């Protein structure tokens, strides 16, 4: 079993009600639902960062190619 750590936070009352409702509707524990939401959120952020890094790398490559073309015309 993974090591557990406790996190106490203050959240909007309606948000907590909605989270509890979703957990009940899906026959899940609230802690499981929140862990999944947070894990997915972090995973998505990491994927976005990787995607943006890749786009920036591609833009740098295009910039380098343009520079080489400009220098070859001189």
């Amino acid at each position: 079993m993974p090591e557990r750590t406790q996190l106490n936070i203050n959240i909007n009352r309606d948000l907590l009600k909605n989270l509890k409702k979703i957990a009940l509707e899906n026959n899940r524990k609230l802690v499981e639902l929140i862990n999944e939401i947070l894990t997915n959120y972090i995973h998505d952020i990491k994927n976005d960062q990787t995607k943006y890094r890749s786009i920036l790398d591609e833009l740098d490559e295009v910039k380098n190619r343009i520079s080489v073309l400009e220098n070859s015309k001189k």
Side-chain angles (χ1 to χ4, degrees), residues 1-3 16 23 25 29 32 35-37 39 42 45 50-51 53 58 62 71:
M1 180 172 215
E3 183 179 333
L16 181 57
E25 289 171 349
K29 294 180 180 179
E32 292 171 350
N35 275 320
E36 180 181 334
I37 290 169
T39 300
I42 290 170
I45 287 175
T50 301
K51 181 173 56 176
R53 244 183 262 122
E58 287 180 33
V62 169
N71 289 334

Side-chain angles (χ1 to χ4, degrees), residues 16-39:
L16 181 57
K17 282 172 56 174
N18 286 328
L19 288 167
K20 286 181 177 182
K21 181 180 175 192
I22 292 168
L24 282 172
E25 289 171 349
N26 292 283
N27 197 28
R28 299 183 63 196
K29 294 180 180 179
L30 180 60
V31 67
E32 292 171 350
L33 176 65
I34 292 173
N35 275 320
E36 180 181 334
I37 290 169
L38 292 174
T39 300

